[in-house]
């Protein structure tokens, strides 16, 4: 498989864009490769600039739950686009998408749309601080909430991959109010609440941490977090930018029966266009400008194209869609697990419905970031290359997860499993 044209473009791109990319993990640095330049994408299949086709398990890192270029989504965006690309004024699409969010997130009375998940998480924190009048926030080692100064501490994959504990350019003062706890350790959280009594505005967590592997938390841990927050007048913020709308229940919170105070969303609700959102009950949301004093704004927020793509995407997420996503995930697990076993489990498959992760090592999958083996990247780089050369696009990082979409079918999964078997036989394990 030649990727000659991709290589030429990447060489050129490096003269104009930092590392040739606009988001670090796209650089293929941690899999010791060179990025593949896409030309076109349809359903589960992407075509690169050399004409190679790949079954795509990245799906734009999560937003494309119906696959690439879904005809209905494209048609809906086009129809709206013909009437204007941005209004800078209210329009019907915002109301309709907000209603759809509220249908699946029962604790949300009001929504504010942004243009990225980063903005949603950042604004949720500001709102929590404004609402409680407190400064401290508590986050978890290995959870990623976008590239926000105060939250870029012990974050997810991009940073783990590059071995940056925390980015330069962030003033000490900015993170002096950021407390960090390991995941799955309620005693550590309890200790922090005791050390900072009446000081913690918000506990921020990906209830399904999916940016540093897939670190499935025990429901009990999340339930205890909920109780600690309630007892201490602290707002619980679920960052569901990845997990929101991945599950029939709408949210991971709904999936495990735990209700946060504020939810941050992104990815799927924008259907492949730039979007973010956060929402809470009326009492909290009315602290936000123009009703209240907490300021947050955006020129392109509630953009009509993004609202249309979001509406289109959510409208197709019915029971049948979730049943399909889950059954594709189940098929993947059925086929992949015996193959991994045959090779002595160089990886373990962690799978929750349509999300999966090749967890490095043959131990039980970790629940905490610091339990991921430190040499995770090396073996994965070989696996990634082996799969790519056979026409299967996995995330270019050992710490990133795989995404199934409703456009994946049994054939894609079966072929992927055969390719995996071949790729593993080529590897020195
Ligand atoms: C992707 C992601 C973000 C950031 O969203 P962007 O749209 O990339 O800014 C925040 N939190 C979580 C959990 C994410 O997965």
């Amino acid at each position: 498989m030649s990727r000659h044209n991709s290589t030429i473009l990447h060489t050129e791109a490096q003269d104009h864009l930092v590392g040739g990319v606009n988001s670090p993990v796209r650089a293929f640095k941690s899999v010791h490769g060179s990025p593949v330049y896409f030309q076109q994408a349809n359903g589960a299949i992407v075509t690169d600039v050399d004409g190679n086709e790949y079954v795509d398990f990245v799906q734009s890192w999560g937003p494309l739950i119906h696959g690439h270029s879904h005809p209905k989504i494209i048609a809906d965006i086009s129809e709206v686009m013909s009437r204007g690309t941005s209004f800078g004024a209210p329009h019907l699409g915002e109301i309709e998408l907000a209603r759809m969010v509220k249908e699946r997130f029962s604790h949300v009375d009001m929504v504010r749309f942004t243009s990225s998940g980063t903005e949603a998480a950042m604004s949720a924190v500001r709102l929590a601080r404004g609402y409680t009048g407190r400064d401290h926030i508590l986050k978890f080692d290995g959870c990623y909430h976008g590239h926000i100064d105060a939250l870029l501490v012990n974050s997810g994959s991009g940073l783990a991959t590059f071995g940056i504990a925390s980015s330069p350019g962030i003033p000490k003062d900015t993170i002096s109010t950021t407390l960090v706890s390991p995941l799955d350790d309620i005693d550590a959280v309890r200790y922090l609440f005791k050390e900072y009594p009446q000081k913690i505005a918000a506990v921020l967590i990906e209830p399904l941490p999916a940016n540093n592997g897939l670190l499935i938390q025990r429901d009990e841990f999340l339930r205890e977090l909920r109780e600690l927050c309630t007892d201490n007048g602290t707002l619980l913020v679920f960052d569901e930018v990845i997990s929101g709308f991945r599950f029939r229940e709408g949210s991971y919170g709904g999936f495990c029966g735990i209700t946060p105070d504020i939810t941050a969303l992104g990815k799927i609700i924008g259907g492949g266009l730039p979007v973010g959102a956060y929402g809470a009950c009326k009492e909290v949301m009315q602290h936000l400008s123009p009703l209240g004093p907490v300021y947050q704004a955006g020129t392109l927020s509630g953009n009509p194209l993004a609202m249309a793509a979001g509406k289109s995407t959510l409208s197709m997420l019915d029971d049948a869609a979730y049943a399909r996503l889950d059954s594709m995930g189940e098929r993947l697990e059925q086929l992949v697990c015996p193959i991994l076993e045959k090779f002595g489990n160089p990886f373990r498959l962690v799978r929750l419905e349509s999300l999966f992760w090749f967890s490095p090592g043959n131990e039980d999958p970790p629940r905490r970031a610091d339990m991921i083996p430190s040499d995770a990247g090396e073996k994965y780089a070989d696996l990634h290359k082996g799969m790519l050369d056979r026409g299967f696009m996995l995330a270019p990082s050992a710490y990133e997860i795989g995404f199934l979409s409703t456009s994946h079918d049994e054939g894609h999964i079966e072929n992927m499993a055969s390719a995996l078997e071949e790729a593993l036989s080529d590897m020195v394990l």
Side-chain angles (χ1 to χ4, degrees), residues 61 115-119 121 144-147 206 208 210-211 239-243 266-267 275-276:
W61 306 84
S115 298
S116 68
T118 294
E119 276 180 276
Y144 177 66
H145 305 292
H147 59 94
E206 294 178 73
L208 177 63
N211 278 285
D239 180 345
E240 296 225 40
V241 172
I242 276 192
S243 56
K267 300 198 168 111
V275 115

Side-chain angles (χ1 to χ4, degrees), residues 211-229:
N211 278 285
N212 196 29
L214 192 61
L215 307 175
I216 300 174
Q217 298 299 293
R218 292 170 303 117
D219 288 358
E220 188 54 27
F221 174 68
L222 296 172
R223 198 166 299 122
E224 286 175 315
L225 272 188
R226 172 69 278 178
E227 278 168 23
L228 279 171
C229 285

Side-chain angles (χ1 to χ4, degrees), residues 98-108 244-251 254 313-319 322:
R99 267 204 216 114
M100 294 172 97
V101 171
K102 286 173 58 177
E103 260 168 42
R104 304 274 179 102
F105 290 78
S106 57
H107 64 287
V108 170
F245 296 101
R246 266 286 149 192
F247 305 97
R248 189 181 275 104
E249 293 78 3
S251 63
T313 297
L314 300 193
S315 73
M316 291 186 287
L317 284 174
D318 53 13
D319 282 352
Y322 286 112

